[in-house]
Amino acid sequence: MIYGDKDLGVIVQNATGKQGAFHTDLMNAYARSVGGRGVVAGVAPGKGGREVHGVPVYNTVREALREHDATASVVFVPGGAAGDSIMEAAHAGLELVVAITEHIPVHDAMKAISYAKLHDCAVIGPNCPGLLSPGECKLGIMPAHLATRGSVGVVSRSGTLTYEVVDELTRAGIGQSTIVGIGGDPVIGQTFVDVLERFADDPETEAVVVIGEVGGNLEEEGVRSAELPVVTYIAGVSAPPEKRMGHAGAIIEGGEGDARSKVQRLCALGVPVASRPSEIPGLIRDLL
Amino acid sequence: MKLLEYEAKAVFSEYGIPVPKSVLIRTPDEVLPHLAALGDIVVLKAQVDVGGRGKAGGILKVNDAEAADTARDLFARTIKGLPVREILVEERLPITHEYYLSIAIDRSTKGPVILFADAGGVEIENAAREDESAVRKVTLPPLLREVPPFLMRELLGGAPKELAPVINRLYRVFMEKDAMLAEINPLVTTEKGVYAADAKLIIDDNALARQGITVNRDLSAREQEAERHGFSYVELEGSIGVIGNGAGLTMSTLDLIEYYQGSAANFLDVGGGADQERVRHAVQLVAGMPSVKVIVVNLLGGITRCDEVAKGIIAAGVAPTVIVRMAGTNEEEGKHLLAEHGYRMLESMDAAVKAAVEVSS
């Protein structure tokens, strides 16, 4: 298992919001179905003392930790305030923060992720679907019924595309060890490199599906560092060129952030690259 | 959102970065009264948002006798397809040397990266590709407020120390204005001092509100409408409308259309947690495009709920042109609702896209 198992205690930040409350309930339904601990407390400043689907709510992460044993949080706080919530969680001593929030300003993400690192706290996301270890734990919003327990890890920059691939794998009878959505924003906490390292240390994982998209070169960095066999898929080969960030973007990325050249470079590394999601199960089977 | 040169220069100036004396004009007749203050020779710079503006004839050096005529010509032109509505009239600097300076975000180190080159100008990108050492690069932890002296020395190399304050001021602009990119190319030295001869500033779209910017000008009217509903939307040339949730899945749907030799009319990502109303607007927006023969809705519910989506699709009222593929949160309820209203549904993304390509051809 990577990041956590049944025993993982979870806090939800902004548990009283629409999405926070809805997914607190779904996460706990999942925890009950697998015999895990799930969400033990919610946090919402100014709303301490309430309950959300039977889960007690506190004003701060610190207060919640005084009453409950938790090491991770899931952040549903809206964009402008999400960076602050990530830092609050790290400061309070949590080891893992999963930030679901989309539209977080990129400067907030940079600062919060950097701050969390000073506190040895790993951040997954922002703008991600979270993490699911089938049969063990779910942190985030992945539709768990698509997944099934097995030996293939999945790590992805895209939320819904992850579900698509998991669905394909399950239909083909290939189970998953852990599924991690790392988010598609320009700055994210855990990258392909970090997640692939954890998969390499996980005795249950035998191969990994790496799902990337246009922009940056994080996929290639990840694949180069991978100790396990990987299959990749890159979305966006037909997409119109991204609005370029001018000279600096081109210099940093060497003009290689587009999906087509990314696919070419991955092929050159000798890695199987699927041309559509439905090819992934076949390529995985060839590896196992 | 990208600011125009004169807007970026106003911001730089606020932060103490010297810029050439200039005035913005909107009609050719405005140029003459300003010449006395700017000098005998001025530069007319079309304020249009395109790269390679100089090569396309958008930057012209003129003396005072011909200034009004040249401005009139420039206002009548289009630069790479864009009309010239504003011209920045700028003093001409006696340049001794040109440098390149920019600050962007490095995805790998998750922090600001400062790039500095001893040669500035239009060919910097090629120079960097041919010779990596032509551009010096330092990355900073994003919690720092300024560039520490040892990194500044590394960045400057043999370049004059008087450039250091400009680098620190641009770093403050970058951090405080929520910039994706802050660039001065060229950064010039003259006998009178250092100047930002050109200026580029791109603000993070997710931070426009707190920067006090209310309208994202980079978007077309239809794209702005799409944005008001919370969509990310791009118009394309083909005949298959595409609605998905999540950029990755939506892009992947476009890729699959290409794979089956169809052509997509658009990219529309309804975003996370789309409710009934947002989905209705999405379907109606795409159905309203004259080129669209069929719409594929490819949707995987996570934070988005399939029953909400189904209600939105039904409310849009264009059943014959819609092919739906949905799975995930509240999938059964969603499928049940659509079935009641006679919608065509397919189980896999491949099948749905294949069917749409057949209908469209």
Side-chain angles (χ1 to χ4, degrees), chain A residues 19 22 102-103 105-108 110 141 143 158 160 164 186 188-189 221 233 236-238 245 247-248 276 278, chain B residues 107-108 110 125 174 179 181 183 204 206 210 245 248-249 252 254-255 258-260 272 300-301 303 325 350:
Chain A
Q19 299 298 348
F22 181 70
E102 60 180 349
H103 300 306
V106 68
H107 281 262
D108 292 5
M110 282 197 301
I141 60 173
S158 157
T160 43
E164 178 66 39
I188 51 173
E221 282 177 15
Y233 170 74
V237 290
S238 72
M245 283 202 319
H247 289 313
R276 53 198 167 120
S278 56
Chain B
R107 292 169 184 246
S108 294
K110 304 166 197 180
E125 216 171 300
F174 180 80
L181 174 73
E183 181 179 272
D204 179 3
N206 288 329
R210 73 178 177 200
N245 65 333
L249 184 69
S252 179
L254 295 182
D255 294 348
E258 191 183 87
Y259 181 88
Y260 285 117
L300 280 163
I303 206 158
R325 181 285 171 120
D350 279 74

Side-chain angles (χ1 to χ4, degrees), chain B residues 158-181:
Chain B
K161 287 186 185 64
E162 59 182 313
L163 295 172
V166 175
I167 296 177
N168 264 324
R169 284 166 190 164
L170 191 69
Y171 182 68
R172 275 187 57 212
V173 169
F174 180 80
M175 295 305 277
E176 291 175 19
K177 294 293 175 185
D178 278 301
M180 301 298 287
L181 174 73

